Amino acid sequence: MAQVKYTIKLVRNTTNDESSDPVNSYRRRIYVRLKRPNPLFEMWLEEMIAKAEEKNTMGKIALQKALVSLRRYPLPLATGRDCMVLKDFGKTICENLDRRLKAFLASGGRVPVQSDHDRAIEALLNDEHGEHYRELTQRPSGEVDDTIIVEEQDTVEDAMPDDSVFDHVPIAAVDEAFVTISQPKAILLVDTCETIGKSKSGLDRTLQELAQYSVEHEVRRLSVGDFAWIVKDDAGREFLLPYVVERKRLDDLASSIKDGRFHEQKFRLKQCGLPNVIYLIEHLGKNRQVGVPEATLTQAALNTYVQGFTVKYTENHHHTVMYLSVMTNFLNSSLKNKLFLDVTHRPATDDSTQFRFANQTVPLFSFDYFYKQSSKTRDCTVRDIFMKQLLQIKLLTIEKVNAIVDKYPTPQCLYRAYERCPSETERHGLLNIPYGPTKRKIGEKLSKIIYQLMMNDRYTP
């Protein structure tokens, strides 16, 4: 078996904040990446290519393309079937890899697991004669010890974070724009897409189960999300409670990742104005393949959680309906003896738009206004369009785009900033700025790509 090799890079964090903790000023982050994440599959593909060349068959071209695609993929793949997600991999190649893997394991072979990588990395870092040991043990100027963070790139944590939907931010501010609701009752709104199926047996399945649990609900066309809750005031006006649910079956999640809808949908959910977005992922059962490795789906869920969404897993459709039922009942019990505040036209960053069930004041959003503002066809600002354009760039996530537009809200602002840079090097690194809660840098490569997109007269594929 080919030996697993690693690329290790040590980066010292720097901060311009003089008041920050001196320990944080000397923190170093260790980036570790597998040089060959799938050495067995690479070796077997090379053997298959060699045999095809001996027989002088056309299959060698397909195998060579598959090998190139595999070497570009940064994550370990557990089975040959997982390779189906990669470009130029067909059913025959994947089945051949699975046969070889089965024979390899039957003969006593062993595939490295995460703990093997951890031990190997630790040994490399603690090798006194190695290239990284001296850099790790060097003390910075001053009396402060280094704080070392070991971080593996492109890996997936086994445990999912707490999926509680009831822990949120502080109490709303009291204002005069109160809404009178004598008998508050939460009504579940179900998007029309959730009730329409291709077969008669699947038609209105959600509604039937909701009726079974005595959940008051209405079917509406929602401009964003799949489920939401409204209350009606004494004048009959409809207001949204500060929660929206986006339901994704695993196959739909995989499809949205492959065709790019994943980031666009999360962007619209973030921009809709409702502060608490629940991303509900519904399993399909055991042995159901969705065309994307499980590790990739788990990483997507973790990224969604880090981006400020609440992530909730359910076992099946029935479990999803049970969750909605429990959430509706909990909302109804929590709305009793509360004050209701209309925060429709307040900025999303206003504390009064946030909600915690222990609070005495509940923020509400006009349903009509919400529907118009979150519609795909609504009038967009230049900032909105600029964000959507940037999201089309691969690896440019919502947090990175938000950091860019916070500093340069329009293409013209960014263009002028590039013009003020005295050198080409500074232009390339202009957008290598901190983003998100961890304040990691966007990266010089992405910064350079955006510069070329903005400033080049001619674009090449």
Side-chain angles (χ1 to χ4, degrees):
M1 168 178 177
Q3 184 180 3
V4 179
K5 296 183 179 181
Y6 306 89
T7 299
I8 300 178
K9 182 180 179 182
L10 279 71
V11 179
R12 185 183 300 280
N13 289 351
T14 58
T15 177
N16 296 325
D17 187 1
E18 296 179 356
S19 63
S20 62
D21 188 347
V23 173
N24 292 333
S25 300
Y26 294 105
R27 297 178 72 185
R28 286 184 293 180
R29 196 173 295 273
I30 303 173
Y31 295 99
V32 181
R33 183 170 181 172
L34 295 174
K35 286 186 176 179
R36 296 180 64 192
N38 299 286
L40 278 175
F41 290 164
E42 285 189 30
M43 181 178 66
W44 293 334
L45 281 174
E46 289 168 354
E47 292 175 359
M48 292 160 65
I49 291 171
K51 289 184 179 179
E53 287 178 344
E54 288 179 6
K55 298 179 180 179
N56 196 26
T57 61
M58 294 297 293
K60 67 178 182 180
I61 298 175
L63 290 168
Q64 288 169 346
K65 290 181 178 180
L67 180 60
V68 171
S69 179
L70 179 66
R71 286 173 173 168
R72 290 176 177 173
Y73 193 68
L75 297 175
L77 294 164
T79 65
R81 186 168 50 184
D82 286 344
C83 295
M84 188 68 74
V85 68
L86 303 180
K87 184 180 179 182
D88 298 315
F89 271 84
K91 182 179 178 181
T92 302
I93 297 177
C94 293
E95 288 178 349
N96 283 335
L97 291 176
D98 273 333
R99 280 196 293 269
R100 288 172 179 260
L101 179 61
K102 186 176 180 180
F104 174 76
L105 295 175
S107 63
R110 184 174 177 274
V111 178
V113 295
Q114 186 62 42
S115 58
D116 297 325
H117 296 308
D118 293 341
R119 285 193 292 269
I121 293 166
E122 186 177 357
L124 286 172
L125 295 175
N126 288 285
D127 181 5
E128 296 185 8
H129 303 289
E131 57 181 312
H132 304 292
Y133 183 81
R134 179 177 296 179
E135 189 175 358
L136 278 171
T137 54
Q138 281 180 345
R139 289 174 62 87
S141 58
E143 299 298 324
V144 182
D145 290 333
D146 274 358
T147 300
I148 305 300
I149 300 173
V150 179
E151 175 177 297
E152 286 197 41
Q153 285 187 335
D154 303 319
T155 60
V156 180
E157 298 294 336
D158 293 329
M160 288 299 296
D162 181 14
D163 62 5
S164 172
V165 299
F166 306 126
D167 298 327
H168 298 292
V169 288
I171 189 169
V174 177
D175 196 279
E176 67 278 1
F178 286 106
V179 177
T180 304
I181 305 180
S182 302
Q183 296 180 340
K185 185 174 182 62
I187 302 172
L188 176 64
L189 297 186
V190 183
D191 186 35
T192 53
C193 294
E194 294 296 309
T195 64
I196 298 174
K198 293 181 180 179
S199 63
K200 185 65 178 176
S201 61
L203 191 62
D204 292 342
R205 179 183 171 191
T206 303
L207 302 185
Q208 292 172 2
E209 295 200 24
L210 287 173
Q212 181 181 348
Y213 286 104
S214 302
V215 176
E216 186 171 348
H217 59 274
E218 294 181 11
V219 178
R220 304 265 184 100
R221 174 62 181 169
L222 299 179
S223 53
V224 65
D226 296 315
F227 302 96
W229 288 267
I230 61 169
V231 291
K232 296 181 180 180
D233 70 357
D234 291 350
R237 294 179 300 171
E238 295 180 336
F239 292 90
L240 275 168
L241 291 169
Y243 285 90
V244 62
V245 177
E246 175 72 15
R247 170 182 169 266
K248 286 286 184 187
R249 291 197 325 179
L250 276 183
D251 55 347
D252 188 23
L253 177 61
S255 176
S256 67
I257 291 173
K258 289 193 285 186
D259 64 21
R261 289 181 294 117
F262 180 62
H263 293 298
E264 189 270 339
Q265 289 172 342
K266 288 198 296 181
F267 169 76
R268 292 183 59 235
L269 286 166
K270 273 289 187 183
Q271 299 298 314
C272 75
L274 297 180
N276 306 311
V277 182
I278 303 168
Y279 207 86
L280 191 148
I281 301 174
E282 185 179 297
H283 281 285
L284 292 173
K286 296 181 179 180
N287 302 320
R288 293 290 297 273
Q289 297 301 312
V290 295
V292 172
E294 183 179 356
T296 302
L297 297 174
T298 306
Q299 185 66 65
L302 283 170
N303 292 342
T304 302
Y305 175 80
V306 171
Q307 290 162 0
F309 295 81
T310 296
V311 177
K312 170 67 181 177
Y313 274 95
T314 60
E315 294 299 323
N316 48 48
H317 184 268
H318 178 68
H319 189 191
T320 297
V321 175
M322 287 180 62
Y323 174 80
L324 294 171
S325 172
V326 171
M327 183 68 177
T328 304
N329 292 334
F330 192 90
L331 280 169
N332 278 321
S333 63
S334 302
L335 294 177
K336 296 177 180 178
N337 303 318
K338 294 291 178 70
L339 298 174
F340 299 92
L341 181 66
D342 184 359
V343 296
T344 301
H345 299 287
R346 297 194 179 194
T349 55
D350 194 323
D351 287 342
S352 63
T353 64
Q354 308 301 314
F355 175 53
R356 189 172 182 174
F357 283 106
N359 295 347
Q360 184 61 29
T361 304
V362 180
L364 301 177
F365 303 79
S366 168
F367 178 78
D368 292 336
Y369 182 83
F370 166 81
Y371 184 86
K372 293 175 183 177
Q373 286 299 110
S374 57
S375 173
K376 287 184 178 180
T377 58
R378 72 177 178 91
D379 294 334
C380 295
T381 63
V382 176
R383 177 190 173 104
D384 293 336
I385 297 297
F386 189 33
M387 292 179 73
K388 290 182 179 182
Q389 289 175 332
L390 291 175
L391 281 172
Q392 304 310 308
I393 300 175
K394 190 175 182 180
L395 301 181
L396 205 54
T397 60
I398 296 173
E399 291 85 0
K400 295 176 183 178
V401 170
N402 280 331
I404 292 172
V405 298
D406 283 346
K407 194 168 185 178
Y408 308 104
T410 66
Q412 186 180 50
C413 293
L414 182 57
Y415 183 83
R416 289 175 177 173
Y418 281 131
E419 288 187 326
R420 289 194 295 268
C421 292
S423 66
E424 193 75 3
T425 302
E426 290 191 23
R427 294 188 189 101
H428 287 173
L430 179 67
L431 295 181
N432 188 20
I433 56 179
Y435 71 93
T438 60
K439 299 303 178 186
R440 296 179 65 179
K441 294 293 188 68
I442 287 178
E444 293 183 2
K445 184 177 180 180
L446 273 175
S447 177
K448 184 178 179 180
I449 289 173
I450 298 171
Y451 165 71
Q452 292 172 340
L453 176 68
M454 293 290 298
M455 303 299 287
N456 281 7
D457 295 330
R458 180 178 299 175
Y459 303 109
T460 55

